[in-house]
Amino acid sequence: MKHQYILGVSAGFHDAATALIRGDGEIIFAGHSERYSKNKNDAMICPELLAEFCEYPIDTIAYYERPWLKQLRNFVSGQGIDWSNITVQQVLENQLGSWLQHPPRKIQTYSHHLCHAAAGFQTSPYDRATCVVIDAIGEFDTVSIWGAEYDGSGCATYKKLWRQTYPRSIGLFYSAVTQRIGLHPLDEEYITMGMAAYGEPRYVEECRALLEDNLHIGIDPDWLRLATNEDIAASAQVVTEELIYSVMRRAQDMNWSTNLVYQGGVALNCLANRKLGEYFENIWIMPCPGDAGNSLGAAALAHGRRLRWTDAYLGHEISGEYPVRTLVDHLQSDRIVGVASGRAEFGPRALGNRSLLADPRGSDIKDLVNEIKRRQRFRPFAPVVLAEHVHELFDMPRGWHHSPYMQSVASCRRPDLYPAICHVDNTSRVQTVEADGSGIRSLLEAWYERTGCPMLLNTSLNIRGEPMVNDRADADRFTKEYGLIVLS
Ligand SMILES: [Fe+2]
């Protein structure tokens, strides 16, 4: 049987990505352009990314937003119109060059927030779900709530139940705060979130007022100039959580489903995510909920049916067996080791295939890892733990019995034993690993057998200032730069 192949594309703003799916719902590939070009948050699709799937006869290209609507919004918001990116044909020619036309391919476009909803729903295990999308901005939408279900013939259907439009935007507010405290917006929001625990929410009222005026944080009121970055971050986190939970309450009250599918860049706020279980019984956040994930969402919409989701290992492949035994040996002797094996993770988190791993026990390990990562002192590292042991070590929040993609914080029960993976408020961004046959699962089992510790410290493997390691050549550069072995 000849399969259809659909390529989803998300590009032109930040973090360009592609996703390739086959007509039977198999996700063949999903990956970020930055991992190939080495430009962090690369907005352009690079040729090396396209080369990953050159052997597939792609019939359809699905694009993740409506370019002319986006240009209209730019016009309305006073940013002017980019006449070279008005039609989807222009946008794709700019992004894909001659690759687009040889052979000619069918092109479809979908609205930005619908792509987010589909990226979540069609990878979720649910037949019916309430989809909540919260991001900085789509074409005009900044928050949307959808009722999603499969009809009698298995086609995904979406009913838009509510929307909020630009300029009111939770994501833009959080990005503006991130910029205000000297970090990179649309990239380093996770650092703002980590900083929040070190401050006091002294400026909640002031932050609310900024939002009410739709002024975000572009102006410079006195309080903002006098406040510490930590207090600004703490205050913004409180206000952001208020806004997220008011959307969740609204979505819950619609009584569409007790299953929540949550997407958009704001869904990466794992601190806010800890309370989602108060509104919904089941929670699914596809591990790449931001705009890069919309490449998969657009492809899903063109496909129209449920996708076969197994895990987030969808990117470039470094072939060979996951080197379990040598990793355990290195962890025992050196306490820290790199691994680059199997397929790269789709999404911003290293989940064991492009990871720096360390023994999480003891007080000095954080400094040892930080010698390589050179991160801000306030940022903890994440734990990866055998799922069956997670409740011995962490109080998992309601709705987060397991957390395979590191999407919620949980309180650590033994911060005295594992200070390196605990934040100042004793929370950790937990990754649980089921008996799923993955390399990281086999490693944790072997590590547990050898040491009695069911957990490792896990942080992304990247050269400072660069995206995550993608291929073996990147891994070798990492070793050269830091003198630390990276096993494949
Ligand atoms: Fe988005």
Side-chain angles (χ1 to χ4, degrees), residues 112 116 135 137 291:
H112 186 111
H116 275 307
D135 67 358
I137 192 160
D291 284 359

Side-chain angles (χ1 to χ4, degrees), residues 103-174:
R105 296 172 166 109
K106 191 170 144 196
I107 295 171
Q108 291 184 302
T109 61
Y110 303 93
S111 80
H112 186 111
H113 270 225
L114 180 58
C115 289
H116 275 307
F121 180 59
Q122 286 170 245
T123 55
S124 80
Y126 314 135
D127 294 328
R128 185 179 166 98
T130 303
C131 301
V132 173
V133 179
I134 310 180
D135 67 358
I137 192 160
E139 290 89 353
F140 280 92
D141 291 357
T142 57
V143 179
S144 58
I145 302 173
W146 306 75
E149 63 184 340
Y150 292 101
D151 67 13
S153 55
C155 291
T157 64
Y158 297 89
K159 187 175 173 190
K160 198 172 194 174
L161 303 173
W162 187 78
R163 73 194 287 227
Q164 179 182 274
T165 54
Y166 178 80
R168 294 189 68 85
S169 166
I170 301 171
L172 280 178
F173 168 71
Y174 208 80

Side-chain angles (χ1 to χ4, degrees), residues 68-227:
W68 68 272
L69 266 181
K70 185 176 171 177
Q71 292 303 327
L72 181 63
R73 188 213 57 230
N74 285 347
F75 177 72
V76 169
S77 62
Q79 295 172 52
I81 292 180
D82 175 2
W83 293 101
S84 64
N85 277 305
I86 286 278
T87 67
V88 70
Q89 191 73 31
Q90 285 173 316
V91 169
L92 288 174
E93 273 172 17
N94 293 340
Q95 287 287 340
L96 305 175
S98 60
W99 188 90
L100 181 65
Q101 298 301 345
H102 305 291
R105 296 172 166 109
K106 191 170 144 196
I107 295 171
Q108 291 184 302
T109 61
Y110 303 93
S111 80
H112 186 111
H113 270 225
L114 180 58
C115 289
H116 275 307
F121 180 59
Q122 286 170 245
T123 55
S124 80
Y126 314 135
D127 294 328
R128 185 179 166 98
T130 303
C131 301
V132 173
V133 179
I134 310 180
D135 67 358
I137 192 160
E139 290 89 353
F140 280 92
D141 291 357
T142 57
V143 179
S144 58
I145 302 173
W146 306 75
E149 63 184 340
Y150 292 101
D151 67 13
S153 55
C155 291
T157 64
Y158 297 89
K159 187 175 173 190
K160 198 172 194 174
L161 303 173
W162 187 78
R163 73 194 287 227
Q164 179 182 274
T165 54
Y166 178 80
R168 294 189 68 85
S169 166
I170 301 171
L172 280 178
F173 168 71
Y174 208 80
S175 292
V177 169
T178 298
Q179 187 167 29
R180 183 61 182 74
I181 60 183
L183 300 166
H184 288 120
L186 300 173
D187 180 24
E188 295 185 325
E189 280 73 7
Y190 65 98
I191 304 180
T192 309
M193 188 176 63
M195 202 185 273
Y198 281 87
E200 288 296 324
R202 297 180 213 278
Y203 304 102
V204 169
E205 284 302 326
E206 288 85 345
C207 282
R208 280 195 201 118
L210 279 178
L211 264 167
E212 278 309 309
D213 292 343
N214 289 332
L215 291 171
H216 308 301
I217 218 132
I219 58 165
D220 223 6
D222 283 345
W223 70 266
L224 203 48
R225 265 181 278 125
L226 298 172

Side-chain angles (χ1 to χ4, degrees), residues 1 25 48 74 88 91 117 131 139 147 187 197 227 262 315 319 358 361 372 379 409 413 437 442 481:
M1 180 179 130
E48 296 84 355
N74 285 347
V88 70
V91 169
C131 301
E139 290 89 353
D187 180 24
Y262 181 27
S319 56
R361 299 169 294 179
I372 293 166
R379 292 174 55 203
V409 296
R413 290 172 183 264
S442 305
E481 180 96 11

Side-chain angles (χ1 to χ4, degrees), residues 264-326:
V266 177
L268 286 166
N269 193 313
C270 56
L271 194 52
N273 289 352
R274 74 194 184 284
K275 289 189 185 165
L276 297 178
E278 293 178 15
Y279 305 92
F280 290 90
E281 271 172 36
N282 304 301
I283 303 160
W284 171 255
I285 304 174
M286 197 269 282
C288 188
D291 284 359
N294 270 2
S295 57
L296 188 57
L301 287 165
H303 175 61
R305 293 164 179 272
R306 192 193 294 276
L307 300 179
R308 286 191 206 159
W309 178 270
T310 46
D311 54 49
Y313 307 119
L314 295 165
H316 178 76
E317 175 147 30
I318 298 178
S319 56
E321 285 243 324
Y322 200 86
V324 173
R325 186 171 292 273
T326 34

